[in-house]
Amino acid sequence: MSELVLKRNEAVEVRQYGFGTKLFFLYFLNVCDWFCTQVLIDTGYFFEANPFMGKLMEFPIVGFFVKCVLPLALSIIIWLFYKIFKLEQTRFTNFLIYGGVILYSAVITVHIINFITLYSMG
């Protein structure tokens, strides 16, 4: 039982996720956003809130390319740049990635609410 109690100045091991893992998770949320948006638009009851993306989402292949393929390529380039030049994670890069995760999580939450609304109508 005494092993579970932390001493006052004892360091606590915190799991640090690698840069690639964080970047992949951000990309995964992006793909989830695209998928949910496309499904909701296809119902005819919802529309894309971003007018620029709304025009692109009228053509599913173009929407997929812009929302999934280009960000994947950009993520791979960023990750390779990070690895090749042995860059360190900074507070700023973590702030950007975690900020993106928070924003995408909010968007996914709105999608979930929209799905609940859609399926409660029928």
Side-chain angles (χ1 to χ4, degrees):
M1 181 96 168
S2 63
E3 298 154 3
L4 298 175
V5 177
L6 291 175
K7 295 181 181 164
R8 185 171 230 167
N9 294 323
E10 189 174 326
V12 178
E13 182 181 339
V14 177
R15 171 78 168 116
Q16 294 291 327
Y17 292 101
F19 184 73
T21 302
K22 294 175 191 176
L23 207 55
F24 174 79
F25 187 63
L26 186 61
Y27 175 73
F28 174 75
L29 289 174
N30 175 60
V31 171
C32 289
D33 171 39
W34 167 78
F35 180 76
C36 291
T37 300
Q38 192 62 53
V39 169
L40 288 168
I41 289 172
D42 289 347
T43 66
Y45 293 107
F46 298 92
F47 63 93
E48 170 64 52
N50 177 343
F52 175 72
M53 280 307 300
K55 292 289 184 194
L56 295 177
M57 294 295 280
E58 291 175 7
F59 308 96
I61 297 297
V62 175
F64 176 77
F65 184 78
V66 170
K67 286 291 285 181
C68 296
V69 176
L70 285 178
L72 177 61
L74 184 59
S75 296
I76 291 170
I77 289 168
I78 290 169
W79 182 79
L80 286 172
F81 194 83
Y82 172 81
K83 284 294 187 184
I84 290 169
F85 293 103
K86 297 179 180 22
L87 300 175
E88 295 292 323
Q89 290 186 59
T90 65
R91 285 185 179 191
F92 182 68
T93 57
N94 281 328
F95 173 77
L96 290 176
I97 290 176
Y98 289 136
V101 167
I102 289 168
L103 290 174
Y104 268 119
S105 296
V107 169
I108 299 297
T109 301
V110 170
H111 286 318
I112 291 169
I113 291 168
N114 287 334
F115 278 117
I116 291 169
T117 303
L118 179 66
Y119 290 108
S120 67
M121 291 173 21

